[in-house]
Amino acid sequence: MTDDEARALALLDSVRWLAPYGPDLARALVAQGSVARLAAGRWAQAEGDEETGLLVVVEGALDLYCQAPGDREVRIGHIGPGAAIGQTMRFGGGPRLVTAVCAAPSLVLRVSDAGLTRIARDRPQVWQAVAAVVYLQLRSALQMAAEALALPPRARIAARLVALSRARAVPAELALSQQALAELTGLSRKTVNAVLADFQRRGLVRRDYARLDILDLRGLERIAGA
């Protein structure tokens, strides 16, 4: 096993969506998958790809895009270590739904449909793990829509930061620019900058170039729920 495969296995041993299925399934995913190091700006997958399966972030972060009317690419998500995306065509699914682009130098694990099928011969619970990933993606999309419809800007930004943090194995660090956060919340960059400046004054976050450190997750939760 290579060092990168060992890193992927150590991460899978700690993620919640895979925990119910035991360490053997984590080892099988690494054995049947492939790990790759990708530079910032590289595509990890493309919307419309016919070859489906799972994509797991081991290190770094990915921005997620989908095509909108007018042939525009719209940023709809941001995932970090421990998060997985994907689906399978085995049970009636279609091509990949999003384009994933590295927001930072990243290490990813890819497990194709063929790899999942090989795993299922001995561990059919792998399909339950895939279903768990699909459910988490659906829940995230619905939560994002609800935030956009129901929350004013300040609470919306806080809620998105909480959601992004909770979806990561390392919740305190987000490789996320202020422009990216503006796109994810449907707000102007000026509005996001002003709110983040206030959050920083209150000791809730620390801003850096293309990065946000979450200092007080509970405080952000209180603002999101106010």
Side-chain angles (χ1 to χ4, degrees), residues 17-30:
W17 59 268
L18 196 57
Y21 313 107
D24 286 348
L25 186 54
R27 284 191 286 269
L29 288 170
V30 174

Side-chain angles (χ1 to χ4, degrees), residues 1-192:
M1 179 177 289
T2 67
D3 288 345
D4 284 347
E5 288 171 339
R7 290 185 177 92
L9 180 58
L11 179 90
L12 289 178
D13 282 339
S14 67
V15 296
R16 292 181 181 178
W17 59 268
L18 196 57
Y21 313 107
D24 286 348
L25 186 54
R27 284 191 286 269
L29 288 170
V30 174
Q32 294 295 336
S34 62
V35 294
R37 286 198 173 272
L38 303 176
R42 283 283 303 276
W43 286 25
Q45 70 173 44
E47 181 180 358
D49 282 351
E50 294 290 339
E51 183 179 348
T52 55
L54 292 183
L55 174 66
V56 184
V57 183
V58 180
E59 297 174 359
L62 303 181
D63 285 322
L64 308 181
Y65 299 84
C66 71
Q67 196 167 44
D71 203 27
R72 294 181 302 143
E73 288 291 319
V74 178
R75 193 189 316 253
I76 62 164
H78 178 87
I79 58 174
I85 57 172
Q87 78 276 5
T88 175
M89 295 184 74
R90 181 179 175 89
F91 299 113
R96 291 194 183 272
L97 297 171
V98 299
T99 295
V101 182
C102 295
S106 300
L107 177 65
V108 300
L109 169 69
R110 299 186 180 102
V111 189
S112 67
D113 271 351
L116 294 171
T117 300
R118 288 192 293 269
I119 294 170
R121 293 170 188 161
D122 297 318
R123 299 176 180 84
Q125 67 269 32
V126 71
W127 300 125
Q128 292 175 270
V130 173
V133 169
V134 172
Y135 171 79
L136 289 172
Q137 292 172 108
L138 176 60
R139 186 179 71 178
S140 177
L142 292 173
Q143 180 180 357
M144 193 170 177
E147 291 168 7
L149 291 169
L151 297 180
R154 179 181 170 84
R156 192 187 313 173
I157 292 169
R160 190 87 312 251
L161 291 176
V162 169
L164 292 172
S165 297
R166 290 197 175 281
R168 298 169 62 95
V170 185
E173 301 174 2
L174 299 177
L176 186 70
S177 69
Q178 293 176 43
Q179 178 60 39
L181 183 57
E183 293 177 25
L184 290 175
T185 54
L187 299 167
S188 70
R189 183 171 179 174
K190 180 179 180 180
T191 297
V192 169

